[in-house]
Amino acid sequence: MLHLRLITPSGTTDDVVRLIESTVGTTHLVVLPGAARNPAGDVVMCDVAREAGDELIAGLRRLGLDRTGSIAVENIDLSLSKRAADAEDEAPGEGADAVLWEHLEGATHEESTLSITYVAFLTLATMIAACGVVLDNAILIVGAMAVGPEFGPLAGFCTALVQRAPRLALRSLVALLVGFAVALLVTVGFTYLMDAVDLFSAVKLDAERPNTNFIYRPDAFSFVVAVLAGVAGTLSLTSAKSGALVGVAISVTTVPAASNAAVAFAYGEYHQAWGSTEQLLLNLLGIVLAGTLTLLAQKYFWTRQRQRHNAGRPSTP
C-alpha cells in the first residue's frame, strides 16, 4: 500500500476527493479543511494499493495539483486494516508487478544527477578495480563493482527513452560520460603514482591474470550477462526490490573494464586498453537495450491488464 498526503487549493478539493473515491483500490480517505498553511489550502490523505497508485497520481497531476499544491507519496510497511486488504483485492494485478512511473522518473532523476558524490564513488570504484586488475584479485573486482554507481544513469536513460523525456536522457548521458571520463583520468594518474612507489608495474599487468583477464577479453557471454543484468536491475527498480541491485552491480564489468583500460593506457598496452573499452561498451549497450525493452514490456502488459480489469467492472449507472 501507498500513503498519499496532498495539499489542495480549496477550490480543487472536491475534484480531488471525487477522483480518489472513483479510483479502484483507494481507502482511508481523510479531508482536513484549511489545515495547510504553505501553500494555503486543504490537506487530503488516503491510502491506495500500489497497483492503482500510478493511475491516481497521473489523475492528480492532470488536475494540476503538482503545480498548485503538493503530492507526497510514502510506502506503507504495515497496514492492519480490512479496508486496506479489500482495496488491494479490488485493484488490478499484483502490487509487485505495478510500475509507478512518477516514482521511477523521480528516483532515476536523482540517481542520474552529475554530482560530486556520484563522481567520487565512480572514481573510487575505478581505482579499487585498478588494484584488483594489477593484483589479479577477484575480491577487489567484486568490491569495485558493488561500489560503482553507474547503474543509476543507465536506468535513467532507459526510463527517459520509454517516457520520452529528453531532459532526463540528456542528464543521464552527461552523468555517465562525464563520470567515466573523470574516473578514467584520475585512475591514469593513480596508476602513475602507484608505479612510482613500486606497487604497480607493467609486468604485473602483462601477466596471465587468470582471475581477471576476462575484463579485456570480451565475448558473447559479456553481452548476454549485461542483458540479463539489465533486466534484473530494471525489475528491481520498478518493483521496489532494491536489494537485487547489489547482485546486478556485481554481474557486469563496466567499472573493472574502465579501470583496466585506464591502467593499460598508462602503460601503453593499447591492445588491452581497446579490449577493455570494447568490454565496457558491450556492457553499457546490453544494459540499456535490456532495460528499455523491459520497461516497454512492463508498460504494455500492465496497460493490457488494467484494460481487462476495467472492462470486467460493472458500469456505473
Side-chain angles (χ1 to χ4, degrees):
M1 293 289 288
L2 303 173
H3 178 69
L4 270 65
R5 188 188 71 248
L6 314 173
I7 297 178
T8 71
S10 299
T12 312
T13 302
D14 290 341
D15 293 332
V16 170
V17 170
R18 279 193 294 269
L19 174 63
I20 294 173
E21 291 178 334
S22 64
T23 302
V24 175
T26 59
T27 187
H28 303 156
L29 176 61
V30 177
V31 181
L32 302 175
R37 293 293 181 268
N38 183 22
D42 305 328
V43 174
V44 178
M45 294 180 287
C46 72
D47 295 340
V48 59
R50 181 180 173 86
E51 310 87 290
D54 188 61
E55 180 182 359
L56 178 57
I57 294 172
L60 293 171
R61 295 195 67 178
R62 283 194 296 269
L63 292 175
L65 204 59
D66 54 328
R67 300 185 301 273
T68 60
S70 171
I71 304 173
V73 184
E74 299 175 298
N75 282 306
I76 300 177
D77 295 327
L78 177 64
S79 180
L80 302 177
S81 166
K82 184 178 183 303
R83 288 182 177 273
D86 291 341
E88 288 187 316
D89 291 338
E90 293 171 359
E94 296 294 332
D97 298 330
V99 180
L100 296 176
W101 292 102
E102 304 292 342
H103 178 269
L104 182 61
E105 285 189 31
T108 53
H109 183 279
E110 181 179 353
E111 292 292 328
S112 60
T113 300
L114 182 63
S115 64
I116 294 177
T117 302
Y118 165 78
V119 174
F121 270 115
L122 187 56
T123 302
L124 289 170
T126 308
M127 290 192 292
I128 293 172
C131 296
V133 298
V134 172
L135 297 175
D136 193 33
N137 189 315
I139 295 176
L140 291 177
I141 295 297
V142 171
M145 291 176 177
V147 172
E150 73 279 6
F151 191 80
L154 289 170
F157 190 72
C158 297
T159 303
L161 292 179
V162 174
Q163 293 295 90
R164 299 178 182 178
R167 289 188 179 181
L168 178 58
L170 180 61
R171 177 187 293 267
S172 302
L173 192 59
V174 168
L176 200 63
L177 295 178
V178 174
F180 269 112
V182 172
L184 285 167
L185 288 173
V186 173
T187 303
V188 169
F190 177 70
T191 300
Y192 290 141
L193 175 63
M194 295 294 280
D195 183 79
V197 296
D198 293 328
L199 293 177
F200 281 12
S201 68
V203 175
K204 292 180 179 180
L205 184 68
D206 290 334
E208 183 59 27
R209 291 164 49 197
N211 294 320
T212 58
N213 60 22
F214 67 93
I215 294 172
Y216 60 89
R217 295 176 180 174
D219 53 22
F221 280 107
S222 302
F223 185 74
V224 170
V225 171
V227 168
L228 296 176
V231 173
T234 303
L235 289 175
S236 71
L237 285 176
T238 57
S239 63
K241 296 185 181 298
S242 57
L245 281 177
V246 177
V248 173
I250 61 177
S251 299
V252 292
T253 54
T254 48
V255 165
S259 68
N260 198 89
V263 175
F265 183 81
Y267 282 117
E269 297 287 343
Y270 300 119
H271 177 71
Q272 275 199 41
W274 171 246
S276 301
T277 303
E278 187 178 353
Q279 179 79 272
L280 174 62
L281 294 176
L282 276 175
N283 276 270
L284 294 177
L285 177 61
I287 293 173
V288 169
L289 179 64
T292 302
L293 291 177
T294 300
L295 289 175
L296 287 172
Q298 287 183 289
K299 191 172 188 177
Y300 172 78
F301 287 117
W302 186 254
T303 301
R304 295 277 295 179
Q305 189 171 34
R306 182 181 294 170
Q307 289 173 346
R308 287 196 300 267
H309 180 270
N310 292 337
R313 290 173 55 192
S315 59
T316 302

